Amino acid sequence: MFAPTSGPRVVGIAAGCVADSLFADPRRGHPVALFGSAAAALEGRSYADTRAAGVVHTATLLGALALLGTAAHRTALHRGAAAGTVTTAATVFVALGGTSLARAGDQMARHLDRGDTDSARRLLPSLCGRDPSVLDEAGLIRAALESVAENTSDAHVAPLLWTALGGVPAVLVYRGANTLDAMIGHRSPRYLRFGWAAARFDDLLNHLAARATAVLVAACAPVVGGSPVAALRAWKRDAGRHPSPNAGVVEAAFAGALGVRLGGPTQYGHELEIRPTLGDGPPPQVADLRRAVRLSRTVQLAAAGVAIVLSAVGRTGRRASPRS
């Protein structure tokens, strides 16, 4: 007998991507938001200003997601290929955020084109955690572009790769880890120790995806008039100086592909970070933000193709090798 999981996975990934492109994130009752509410409720009981408490908190939540994903996967297998396809498609749809990301980036560009910085500042928290009150137009453009770059990996490429590699349980754990990192993974006084485990685990899960995203950014750079060589050069030269081992890779690749300079002072609610310079062009303009969104959409499409191919290749390999 042969493993029957990859056929539904291939179709499920494709269907989930189509659903995300058509509907984007639900405005109400999003499962990720429900997970976040559960995590916040647990934090009220589990918080202590120690790494050990953070490890327990993170492991409890992600362990629950792993069990939920495994149960859903086994139930779908028992019910047949159609159930497996629907389960995978629904999970991919819930996990992806690429369409919402691109739409927010386009909306930010429209606000800035009209000179409506107040609306742009109100929109920024949907893209990143920076303090919008201290940002002028140039700062808003850079913040939005860097968020589009980073989240192309976090919200789209990574979920697709984890679905292709590990199916429903893997992508649920990834999405939960990414959500926890956003909630408690920053270096504020409250979360410096408690959020350590969530931040490090998210770094681990995003390591491969960030580098795959950078490769896709380089490959897709000509779509926006950019240079693959410049994208790879900026990645190699600049990414290692960024405080994040993954965000720096993707942001540097975007900077090189777009021919702009990213980085510099970055104000969060809890601290001011002086980020390194990424790329060697001029500061980005609104037109560059639009190009970044177009590049992100192209990379998202390419990542879907890669995930489908990986799943199909995995299925072929299992067919060639009977179970022992």
Side-chain angles (χ1 to χ4, degrees):
M1 296 182 65
F2 303 98
T5 58
S6 291
R9 189 177 299 176
V10 168
V11 180
I13 289 173
C17 289
V18 171
D20 178 66
S21 69
L22 293 176
F23 305 113
D25 289 329
R27 294 184 179 274
R28 295 181 180 178
H30 197 298
V32 173
L34 296 177
F35 172 78
S37 297
L42 179 62
E43 182 184 331
R45 295 177 176 273
S46 64
Y47 178 82
D49 190 18
T50 65
R51 286 187 176 184
V55 169
V56 172
H57 177 79
T58 301
T60 299
L61 289 163
L62 299 187
L65 285 179
L67 291 174
L68 175 64
T70 300
H73 175 70
R74 289 177 176 173
T75 300
L77 284 181
H78 179 72
R79 293 180 177 177
T85 298
V86 170
T87 300
T88 300
T91 306
V92 168
F93 171 57
V94 165
L96 293 183
T99 297
S100 293
L101 172 68
R103 289 179 181 178
D106 278 335
Q107 186 177 359
M108 178 69 76
R110 287 194 296 273
H111 288 326
L112 294 171
D113 269 336
R114 296 195 299 264
D116 188 355
T117 54
D118 288 339
S119 294
R121 290 188 181 104
R122 286 193 293 271
L123 177 62
L124 188 66
S126 69
L127 284 166
C128 63
R130 302 182 194 184
D131 182 358
S133 67
V134 301
L135 298 178
D136 57 10
E137 179 177 318
L140 290 166
I141 293 170
R142 179 170 72 85
L145 199 158
E146 290 174 355
S147 180
V148 166
E150 179 180 0
N151 285 296
T152 297
S153 178
D154 289 3
H156 199 91
V157 178
L160 288 175
L161 286 182
W162 279 111
T163 305
L165 296 174
V168 169
V171 72
L172 285 181
V173 170
Y174 168 75
R175 197 66 180 89
N178 192 243
T179 302
L180 282 179
D181 179 59
M183 293 178 67
I184 65 173
H186 44 83
R187 296 182 178 181
S188 66
R190 176 176 174 84
Y191 294 124
L192 182 62
R193 284 173 285 274
F194 183 73
W196 173 85
R200 297 291 75 76
F201 192 59
D202 182 70
D203 285 344
L204 177 65
L205 294 185
N206 275 296
H207 183 87
L208 175 62
R211 284 141 188 88
T213 303
V215 170
L216 293 175
V217 166
C220 297
V223 172
V224 293
S227 165
V229 173
L232 294 173
R233 182 173 59 240
W235 169 14
K236 180 179 179 180
R237 183 190 63 207
D238 300 333
R241 296 185 286 117
H242 195 281
S244 167
N246 298 320
V249 169
V250 183
E251 290 177 20
F254 262 80
L258 297 169
V260 299
R261 184 175 71 251
L262 301 177
T266 303
Q267 180 66 57
Y268 291 94
H270 55 280
E271 67 177 342
L272 174 66
E273 292 186 8
I274 305 301
R275 295 284 180 85
T277 298
L278 307 174
D280 49 15
Q285 305 298 313
V286 177
D288 297 310
L289 176 56
R290 293 189 184 278
R291 293 170 63 222
V293 171
R294 192 160 75 251
L295 180 57
S296 175
R297 289 186 186 274
T298 306
V299 169
Q300 290 174 32
L301 182 61
V306 169
I308 289 169
V309 169
L310 285 175
S311 295
V313 168
R315 181 187 187 193
T316 301
R318 280 189 290 270
R319 280 183 172 176
S321 302
R323 290 180 179 176
S324 59

